[in-house]
Each structure stands twice: as structure tokens, then as C-alpha cells.
Amino acid sequence: MKINYITTSTFGLEAVVKREVERLGGENINVSDGRIDFSGGIEMIPRFNMWLRSGDRLLINFAEFYAYTFDELFEKTKALPWEDWITIDGKFTVTGKSIKSQLFSVSDCQSIVKKAIVERLKPKYNVEWFEETGPEYKVQVGLLKDKVTLTIDTTGPGLHKRGYRLDAVVAPLKETIAAALIDLSYWKKDRILFDPMCGSGTIAIEAAMIARNIAPGLTRDFASKYWPQIDEKIWKDEKSKAYAEINVDVRPEIYASDMDPKAIETAKHNSRLAGVDDSIFFDTRKFDSQTPAPGDYGVMISNPPYGERIGTLEEMKEIHKNLGLFLKRNPSWSLYVITSNEEFEKQLGKKADKKRKLFNGNVKTDYYQYFGPRPPKNDTI
Ligand SMILES: C[S@@+](CC[C@H](N)C(=O)[O-])C[C@H]1O[C@@H](n2cnc3c(N)ncnc32)[C@H](O)[C@@H]1O
């Protein structure tokens, strides 16, 4: 049985997430703003949840239709085979969103969809009341220009919640975005990676996990793990396969520093939880005009502070200037920086080779990319 799925994505990262969907075996892929549609078998649910690094969550695209009145929404929702997924004890909440549609009251759409599902399931299960004490099926009703999309969330807490970041510093980067920044750089596990403003260590930890092929969702839980439709064996096999595929012998050369000792303590703790503390060299150190490069042909990926305080603005200016000086002193290096600061290129002193817009939460940022030369052939694997 083929199922229609949606992997949701941060705006601006659709191309990265599309590549992931391709790699993981998605078929009939279609990309639009913030979502990648595809189809595949039921085994995609464990596989995608376990392996997506940049995608936000995996949804079942249960149905799509047009609705212009509440009656239409009710009847079309009620006609769908909800019993294929939602169990007699299933807990089903309905969330919603509506953009440019006649049915603009989200709360009304939500309650109508909930009622329609209940009315569908009552005769199917021959009950009048649902206890909702079992597995969770989060339904979303999305309206865009009167087109209704009904989805069921397989993921639970968003996929950025890998489980290793129990502690975070101020303004941490989402794990899914960090993984995408690495994907968009030309970093490979045989090259040096350096984040000189690492905060809670997200970029370094994600890079180490990529290098060692550790599945990002290996140790966490998912809503769909409790769904009877997916044989427990599929979950077990996917997990055993993921453990077997870890490159235990790979020791990437990753450096992560921050001027805040508490950030380094946090980053170390997180890297231990992620099982990659032996792959990252941590250091409490201020990034300044003298910061040395730990080798040649390295890749610097960083997320410097970006705030509006006057003090911070001055500090940011200094950091951007020093990033430019670092590149000048180390012409074999590549530099990748995510920031919302629009003065970035001017303050660094050089135009980026490429710039990509993306959203870090609600903050509009740019990912500035300065491509260094490729390492000589015999230095690469
Ligand atoms: C936006 S946060 C980085 C968040 C990080 N990407 C994460 O996921 O947790 C910026 C970090 O830069 C550090 N920082 C600011 N100025 C610095 C400097 N001159 N040298 C080193 N670290 C600095 C701050 O302590 C903070 O942890």
C-alpha cells in the first residue's frame, strides 16, 4: 500500500530536505514552500523519523479536497476512512491553520473536523464515547485558498528534538537547521570543521553525527511508535540497521570554541549525550583577530550572536571584521555564517560567493557562503 506523505521543512531549506527525501527512498517527490510531498510504503514512517536530519516532521497526507462551507468540510471529512489509522482508544487532537480561504475561522474548522471524525468512528467501532487513552494521532486541518489538507502527524515532538540537547545556551540553533548548514557546505568527514562561537555545540555535534553516520532519531521516541498499524518488527529492524551502520572507527577533526565557559560546559555535556564527545575538541576561547586556524583547507561554520542591543551591535561588528581577517590569513579555508545582520558582508569586508535566505524560528536570516579552494586530491578520501 502506497501512502502519501509530507515532510515539513524550514522555509529556505526545501532543496536540502528534498535531497534527504530522495536519499531515503521517497517516490513521486514534489516540492513547495515549506513542504516536500512524496509517496512510499509504511516502512517510511520509522525510516524517515529515524533518519531525517533537516526535515521538521513526517506527516501522512490523509486527504486533500476543496471546501467552501462548513457543511462541505464536515461531510467530506466524515466520508474518509479514519478507522484505517485511528484506533478505538486513539487520542486524536485537531489543530488547524487557514490562509486566504473562505473558511477562515480556524477554531471552527478544528471542531468541525473533530466532530466529523467522531461521527465517522462511532458506527465503525460501535461506541458512543471515545476514551482517548491510547496512542496519539495528531490531525491537522490546513486550508490554503479553500483547499483543505488533512494530515496525521507520525513524529510527535519535532524532529529537531534529537534528545541530546538537554541544556541550551541563549539563542541556540535548531538541530535541523544546523544539519542543513553542514549539508550546504562542502564539508566532508576528512576535512577540519571549526565553529569558533559554538554555544551549546549544535553545529559541531551534528557534524560529528553526520561523519559517524549516527541516525539523528536513534534514541528518541515518536508518536507513531505506538500505532498498531506499524509492526513492531519494522521499528526494531530499522533501529538495529541504524546501529549497525554507525561508523565507529571514524574520528572527524572538529573544533568548537566559545568565550563563555558555561557554553563550553553545556556543549561538552550535550556531545556526551549524543555519543560524539571523542570527536570534538572543545576550548573556552574568545574569537578575535589572532585566532589561529587548526590546519589547512578547513571549513568554518558558525552562528555568531545577532541581537539588537547597542553593545551587541558593536561586538558583532568586531566579530564580522575578525571573520574577514581569519579568511585573509587562511586563504585555504571556507567560511559559512548564518546571521540576520544585514551589514554582515560589509563589515566582513568581502561579498559572499553565495547567499541563501532561511528562517531560524521566526527570524529571517541569511546563510553567507565563502567557498575556499578544494583540498588537493591526495588529501581527500
Ligand atoms: C547565537 S549563539 C550560538 C548558538 C549555537 N549555534 C548553538 O546552537 O547553541 C552565539 C555564541 O557566540 C558566543 N560568542 C559571542 N562573541 C564571541 C567571541 N568573540 N568569541 C567566542 N564566542 C563568542 C556566545 O557566547 C554565544 O554562545
Side-chain angles (χ1 to χ4, degrees):
M1 182 185 63
K2 289 276 182 236
I3 300 169
N4 293 328
Y5 294 105
I6 298 172
T7 297
T8 54
S9 146
T10 293
F11 285 105
L13 293 180
E14 292 86 351
V16 176
V17 180
K18 181 192 175 208
R19 280 201 292 275
E20 295 202 279
V21 171
E22 274 168 353
R23 273 199 298 270
L24 293 170
E27 296 162 35
N28 307 313
I29 301 171
N30 187 44
V31 182
S32 50
D33 280 354
R35 70 186 255 187
I36 289 83
D37 285 69
F38 66 98
S39 59
I42 199 158
E43 72 286 355
M44 297 282 170
I45 296 180
R47 188 187 306 159
F48 273 64
N49 276 307
M50 197 100 76
W51 280 102
L52 277 173
R53 289 189 196 277
S54 297
D56 280 332
R57 54 179 67 243
L58 180 71
L59 311 173
I60 293 172
N61 187 353
F62 192 58
E64 288 183 297
F65 53 82
Y66 282 90
Y68 302 91
T69 65
F70 287 130
D71 276 352
E72 224 178 325
L73 177 63
F74 181 82
E75 292 303 333
K76 287 184 175 172
T77 303
K78 195 179 152 208
L80 296 166
W82 291 98
E83 63 280 4
D84 287 355
W85 290 102
I86 302 176
T87 52
I88 187 166
D89 61 345
K91 184 174 169 213
F92 54 107
T93 47
V94 182
T95 59
K97 59 180 179 190
S98 176
I99 302 166
K100 295 184 184 155
S101 300
Q102 290 190 29
L103 303 181
F104 57 83
S105 162
V106 173
S107 59
D108 285 336
C109 291
Q110 281 170 216
S111 41
I112 281 163
V113 167
K114 173 93 188 187
K115 194 157 182 281
I117 300 174
V118 168
E119 291 309 317
R120 166 81 192 189
L121 294 180
K122 270 185 188 172
K124 293 285 167 196
Y125 290 130
N126 206 14
V127 291
E128 279 302 309
W129 174 255
F130 293 94
E131 297 282 344
E132 301 203 37
T133 50
E136 188 159 29
Y137 299 86
K138 271 198 178 146
V139 173
Q140 190 184 68
V141 47
L143 284 105
L144 176 63
K145 294 184 185 158
D146 303 312
K147 188 178 183 186
V148 178
T149 305
L150 289 168
T151 59
I152 307 175
D153 176 26
T154 74
T155 300
L159 287 174
H160 66 284
K161 298 214 161 136
R162 321 284 208 213
Y164 67 73
R165 205 167 69 186
L166 298 183
D167 299 330
V169 295
V170 184
L173 196 60
K174 257 173 111 176
E175 294 83 338
T176 40
I177 296 181
L181 301 186
I182 297 160
D183 185 273
L184 288 167
S185 77
Y186 286 95
W187 182 74
K188 291 279 172 285
K189 60 181 183 292
D190 55 310
R191 287 178 79 171
I192 295 170
L193 188 141
F194 180 21
D195 179 359
M197 286 158 277
C198 72
S200 53
T202 320
I203 294 171
I205 293 170
E206 288 294 322
M209 288 174 75
I210 291 169
R212 296 175 79 175
N213 201 33
I214 298 174
L218 191 56
T219 55
R220 59 157 278 175
D221 212 359
F222 306 100
S224 49
K225 195 139 169 260
Y226 303 94
W227 295 0
Q229 292 86 359
I230 310 165
D231 200 327
E232 220 174 290
K233 190 172 177 310
I234 306 183
W235 284 104
K236 274 202 179 134
D237 288 352
E238 199 62 50
K239 201 164 187 165
S240 320
K241 212 167 130 244
Y243 271 113
E245 284 175 7
I246 295 176
N247 293 325
V248 274
D249 300 328
V250 169
R251 288 285 176 280
E253 209 178 331
I254 298 173
Y255 297 85
S257 50
D258 199 287
M259 67 181 191
D260 177 1
K262 258 181 79 188
I264 291 298
E265 212 178 284
T266 301
K268 277 186 180 168
H269 180 64
N270 292 342
S271 72
R272 271 196 296 277
L273 290 177
V276 293
D277 49 317
D278 56 354
S279 300
I280 307 170
F281 303 95
F282 287 105
D283 194 7
T284 305
R285 174 185 185 119
K286 184 169 178 180
F287 177 72
D288 58 24
S289 61
Q290 304 300 317
T291 301
D296 292 327
Y297 296 99
V299 178
M300 180 178 278
I301 308 180
S302 204
N303 164 216
Y306 43 92
E308 299 304 325
R309 277 191 305 120
I310 295 299
T312 325
L313 286 177
E314 275 312 303
E315 285 162 28
M316 281 175 359
K317 200 169 164 185
E318 186 70 15
I319 289 170
H320 300 162
K321 196 178 97 197
N322 289 336
L323 285 168
L325 292 175
F326 181 92
L327 261 193
K328 260 201 184 135
R329 278 185 284 117
N330 302 286
S332 72
W333 275 64
S334 302
L335 173 69
Y336 297 85
V337 175
I338 179 173
T339 179
S340 65
N341 189 307
E342 289 177 359
E343 300 292 300
F344 176 74
E345 286 169 297
K346 214 169 92 196
Q347 294 175 353
L348 181 138
K350 192 178 170 188
K351 257 200 141 13
D353 296 309
K354 202 169 167 185
K355 198 169 131 177
R356 177 187 282 264
K357 253 188 208 10
L358 55 97
F359 280 85
N360 181 16
N362 287 331
V363 185
K364 185 179 137 301
T365 64
D366 279 293
Y367 189 40
Y368 295 91
Q369 306 166 49
Y370 297 86
F371 306 130
R374 281 167 187 274
K377 270 244 150 46
N378 57 356
D379 278 1
T380 52
I381 294 165

